[in-house]
Amino acid sequence: MSSQNLPLVFPPQVLARLRESVDIDPGLVAEDFTDPRLADALARTEILVTGWGCPRLDAAALDAAPKLRAVLHSAGSVKSLATPELWRRGIAVSSAAVANAVPVAEYTLAMILLAGKDLFAARDRLRGERAFPGWGLVPGIGNHGRRVGVIGASRIGRKVLELLRPFDLVPSLTDPYVDEAGAAALGVPLLRLDDLLRTSEIVTIHAPETPQTRRLIGARELALMPDGAVLINTARGGLLDHDALIAELRTGRLSAILDVTDPEPLPADSPLYDLPGAFITPHLAGSQGNEAARLGLAVVREAERLAAGGEVAYAVDPAVLGREA
């Protein structure tokens, strides 16, 4: 993994707990499998702890670790490092994606509640007018009965639905891999994408980016959203046609909260920085700062299970790897 992430993902108390279950050298952190320090260590390695910055685990890398039986990834998706060779060799692959879903879902919940109160537009008006509008009920805002559409029953999408339950919001779901019974188990109605866009005042995207989902939301889809609706994207920037979004934002009809963009980062001259209806954050929804230790703890728990003779709890299924988010 990237050495700069080690102290955040495995702070002293988390690293100490990991060392209670496995024999690990915390000073041996490598970003390249050709690192000469690794040769002897890999030959003896049974568990490989990986993270952001890990290179591909191809046949050559795995040949150097003949005793390897598990890869514990201290981050989200393993797409960047996993190869079919891992599963062909019967090596278990675990991901801390469930842990990383928590802060993304929390960010999404916060944005949904703030958007429902029209907070971002109200802030801009207050900045511009430098005058308090006075007391009185403001029509058209609030979170009682507001309709929220969730695109994608991924780990994050499911966590968002869980966090929405205590609130008086009305969620719905669209996902081609979920049936009516699956949606009922999640406590939400299942809608076609078009119907969800037409009926939701806030839409939040939690689908994976694949060739089939790239530009999932374009001009046609944005046009289906009702006036005043808010679009939230914490998934991948490529799911959204930014040119089409900019055109809608310029009319003032919609607003958007984007934690991910395409490209990322946006070019300095992107209109999204200045359009009143756009609220952009620099890919902060996922684990940051002290939240990263949650990823390390997920790895620690997996290592403890393996050390006790059990199996990993968060095994990655290669059959659904392309659908993860």
Side-chain angles (χ1 to χ4, degrees):
M1 67 177 70
S2 174
S3 58
Q4 68 180 7
N5 292 330
L6 182 70
L8 288 174
V9 179
F10 292 97
Q13 68 275 19
V14 176
L15 188 59
R17 180 172 164 183
L18 178 63
R19 298 183 75 177
E20 291 176 2
S21 298
V22 297
D23 178 13
I24 191 168
D25 179 1
L28 188 59
V29 182
E31 301 178 27
D32 185 343
F33 286 122
T34 63
D35 188 327
R37 299 177 303 154
L38 283 182
D40 180 59
L42 283 175
R44 296 180 287 111
T45 294
E46 296 175 86
I47 297 172
L48 189 64
V49 177
T50 62
W52 289 298
C54 180
R56 298 279 287 175
L57 295 173
D58 56 17
L62 297 176
D63 285 344
K67 296 182 179 181
L68 186 66
R69 60 190 182 99
V71 173
L72 307 183
H73 190 52
S74 61
S77 174
V78 300
K79 292 178 188 177
S80 64
L81 61 95
T83 65
E85 194 65 26
L86 281 164
W87 289 280
R88 276 198 289 266
R89 299 186 186 207
I91 297 170
V93 180
S94 168
S95 165
V98 170
N100 197 46
V102 174
V104 182
E106 291 173 343
Y107 172 105
T108 302
L109 172 65
M111 293 302 172
I112 288 171
L113 295 175
L114 294 176
K117 296 287 280 190
D118 196 31
L119 180 136
F120 304 111
R123 177 207 58 181
D124 289 343
R125 287 193 296 270
L126 190 58
R127 279 180 171 177
E129 298 168 4
R130 304 296 171 107
F132 190 73
W135 298 105
L137 296 176
V138 180
I141 70 171
N143 288 307
H144 181 69
R146 189 167 292 276
R147 301 184 302 276
V148 178
V150 176
I151 299 177
S154 61
R155 291 184 182 93
I156 298 169
R158 291 168 185 261
K159 187 65 178 178
V160 168
L161 290 172
E162 177 187 331
L163 294 182
L164 289 175
R165 286 177 193 146
F167 299 93
D168 291 326
L169 296 159
V170 183
S172 58
L173 171 70
T174 187
D175 190 307
Y177 298 101
V178 175
D179 58 18
E180 295 282 354
L186 293 171
V188 292
L190 183 68
L191 302 179
R192 294 171 53 250
L193 176 60
D194 285 5
D195 293 334
L196 180 140
L197 293 170
R198 287 191 187 99
T199 58
S200 299
E201 297 162 282
I202 299 176
V203 174
T204 179
I205 305 174
H206 302 290
E209 184 179 0
T210 66
Q212 293 74 32
T213 61
R214 185 161 177 81
R215 302 293 187 266
L216 177 69
I217 306 298
R220 188 191 74 84
E221 289 75 22
L222 292 169
L224 296 175
M225 296 176 67
D227 291 355
V230 181
L231 180 67
I232 302 172
N233 189 12
T234 59
R236 289 291 183 268
L239 294 164
L240 179 60
D241 183 333
H242 284 54
D243 290 338
L245 177 64
I246 289 168
E248 282 283 6
L249 293 176
R250 280 177 169 149
T251 70
R253 200 180 71 81
L254 303 178
S255 58
I257 298 168
L258 307 177
D259 188 55
V260 291
T261 57
D262 185 24
E264 194 172 64
L266 288 170
D269 61 352
S270 172
L272 287 170
Y273 287 120
D274 301 311
L275 283 169
F279 185 81
I280 315 294
T281 56
H283 207 139
L284 289 174
S287 297
Q288 298 288 335
N290 58 30
E291 296 166 334
R294 188 187 280 121
L295 306 177
L297 280 170
V299 166
V300 168
R301 295 186 186 107
E302 293 285 54
E304 289 171 344
R305 280 185 275 268
L306 291 172
E311 299 181 351
V312 296
Y314 299 112
V316 175
D317 183 351
V320 301
L321 186 57
R323 299 196 259 121
E324 292 185 341

